Amino acid sequence: MTTPSDRPDRAAWLSERRHTGRVATCGTVELYVGDLAMRARVVDLSARGVRVRIATDQVAPSVRSRVRLVLRLDGASVCHRLSGHIARIERRATTHELIVKLCR
């Protein structure tokens, strides 16, 4: 039998924005938004999206912009070509993190 302290905190679970598990990973990605091209670092991956980090001196695309990605994971010789749209931008002091929702 479980006690109330053994059960997960429902409020904490409901506030979680992620709907699928994410895997922390290392690699680079080239983002193409129309004629704009930029390089970024991969933060993590999920079944539905990828989180990338760009420097603040790069021009961040707007939310809902369509993007093409060329993903190269560290230690792998294969590059993956993906497409999706910017779902969210988290602005920080020195970097911006872009959450890209992938198309199926």
Side-chain angles (χ1 to χ4, degrees):
M1 178 159 207
T2 61
T3 63
S5 62
D6 294 338
R7 292 187 207 130
D9 184 12
R10 182 169 165 77
W13 180 76
L14 289 175
S15 65
E16 176 65 36
R17 295 180 76 157
R18 297 177 180 162
H19 300 288
T20 60
R22 291 189 175 264
V23 177
T25 188
C26 295
T28 59
V29 66
E30 295 173 9
L31 279 118
Y32 298 96
V33 183
D35 294 336
L36 180 66
M38 64 187 81
R39 293 183 64 80
R41 290 293 297 169
V42 177
V43 177
D44 60 25
L45 293 170
S46 75
R48 295 181 186 167
V50 61
R51 177 186 296 254
V52 300
R53 183 175 293 144
I54 63 171
T56 54
D57 60 351
Q58 294 188 41
V59 178
S62 61
V63 175
R64 293 187 297 271
S65 297
R66 299 281 302 163
V67 295
R68 289 176 291 123
L69 303 145
V70 178
L71 179 72
R72 291 181 184 87
L73 298 177
D74 290 349
S77 60
V78 178
C79 66
H80 303 277
R81 299 181 190 283
L82 308 166
S83 63
H85 67 274
I86 306 280
R88 193 169 75 240
I89 300 174
E90 295 177 0
R91 300 183 192 280
R92 298 200 162 85
T94 59
T95 61
H96 297 314
E97 287 191 0
L98 309 175
I99 293 81
V100 179
K101 185 173 180 184
L102 301 174
C103 294
R104 296 185 182 201

